[in-house]
Amino acid sequence: MSTAFVLSGGASLGSMQAGMLQALYERQIRPDVIVGTSVGAINGAYIASRPQTRTTADTLAGMWRGIRRQQVFPFSPLTALLGVTGRNHVVAAGPLRRLIADQLEFERLEDAPIPLHLIAVDLFTGRERRLSRGPALEAIVASAAIPGVFPPVDWEDTELIDGGVANHTPISHAVELGCDRICVLPTATSCPLPSEPNGALGMAVHAMSLLTQQRLLADLEKFRDAAQLVVLPAPCPAGIQPTDFSHADELIAAGYRRACEALDRGAVPRSVPAGPRTRASEPMRERPGPRRHAPAGAVPRTCRTASPRQADVHGSSGNAAPASAFV
């Protein structure tokens, strides 16, 4: 059975994915393909070239604990002023680019030992682009280029922005790549609020979490018969803004704890509505064994062969696979 890891966007909330990966690797669950959007592209690129072990997830968690807001979002009154006086972004991409480059171990996407597919959006057409070949650093920065915050990234004959604009949790692309089992590592959940969000930014963030959650639920229903879907429950990040990196430790711990509980229980969390075929019959585990990597040129880039059109722009998939199971 071929397995894809799908890592969603979420800025600083992406730290919880390190905890989820700790839980998956402890149970010998490893990806054959990785699909990532925005911060999920950053995390996905990190694990794509490293051993698929708990140690790799631990080092990723350590990286997250060391990140400070100024390394990613170096806001200042001057940049804010420039953003409202004609420039299309308020933060230069240089700090983010350096942070990614320091951890990147391959130059081109096709060189990743585990096939890596990153989602971005064409600024001019609004269409999704699945980046599977080309300069890795540019592709990761493009997938994470939050519009209005970071500048668009030049790519071939167009410009690309954050893939989360169109597809925050790109399950559809993993389905198109022919994967039998899709492990989804989300960062957004529309958890109940004790009171209304604080301020305009808090309200906007909450509204976006509602939108992304609705798209996720729609995709789970749409693709429930196309693959076995294993959705790890995202911790509720109430009160934590996506630009606040000071809560990494608690998000990692919560992501790990909730993933462990769900994987060992093999049951549906209340936050994910279930249909008649959505209950896993037993905890999800794999037999332990070493991960073997073929040379980059010999590694299949998909779970099955996708058409050339599918390899670049999101289309539809009509291939049936095992019934869905939600964790």
Side-chain angles (χ1 to χ4, degrees), residues 122-146:
D122 189 307
L123 175 64
F124 301 105
T125 67
R127 300 182 69 183
E128 296 173 37
R129 294 282 297 267
R130 184 167 72 236
L131 310 180
S132 306
R133 302 180 64 86
L137 180 58
E138 295 303 307
I140 299 167
V141 174
S143 183
I146 303 170

Side-chain angles (χ1 to χ4, degrees), residues 178-198:
C179 301
D180 302 308
R181 178 172 57 194
I182 301 171
C183 297
V184 182
L185 286 69
T187 62
T189 181
S190 55
C191 46
L193 298 178
S195 60
E196 70 176 40
N198 183 27

Side-chain angles (χ1 to χ4, degrees), residues 7 56 63 180 214 259 287:
L7 294 92
T56 289
M63 182 194 77
D180 302 308
Q214 289 304 309
R287 282 188 294 231

Side-chain angles (χ1 to χ4, degrees), residues 243-325:
T243 56
D244 183 357
F245 290 83
S246 66
H247 298 274
D249 201 49
E250 63 187 89
L251 289 172
I252 292 166
Y256 172 73
R257 182 178 63 255
R258 294 208 66 192
C260 287
E261 292 170 352
L263 290 167
D264 291 340
R265 186 175 65 245
V268 186
R270 295 178 184 176
S271 60
V272 179
R277 292 187 298 278
T278 61
R279 187 174 182 87
S281 59
E282 59 183 1
M284 178 181 167
R285 294 183 181 274
E286 294 281 356
R287 282 188 294 231
R291 177 81 187 179
R292 295 184 176 88
H293 291 310
V299 176
R301 309 316 292 175
T302 64
C303 294
R304 61 165 168 74
T305 302
S307 69
R309 181 175 182 273
Q310 287 176 331
D312 185 49
V313 181
H314 168 58
S316 61
S317 177
N319 296 302
S324 303

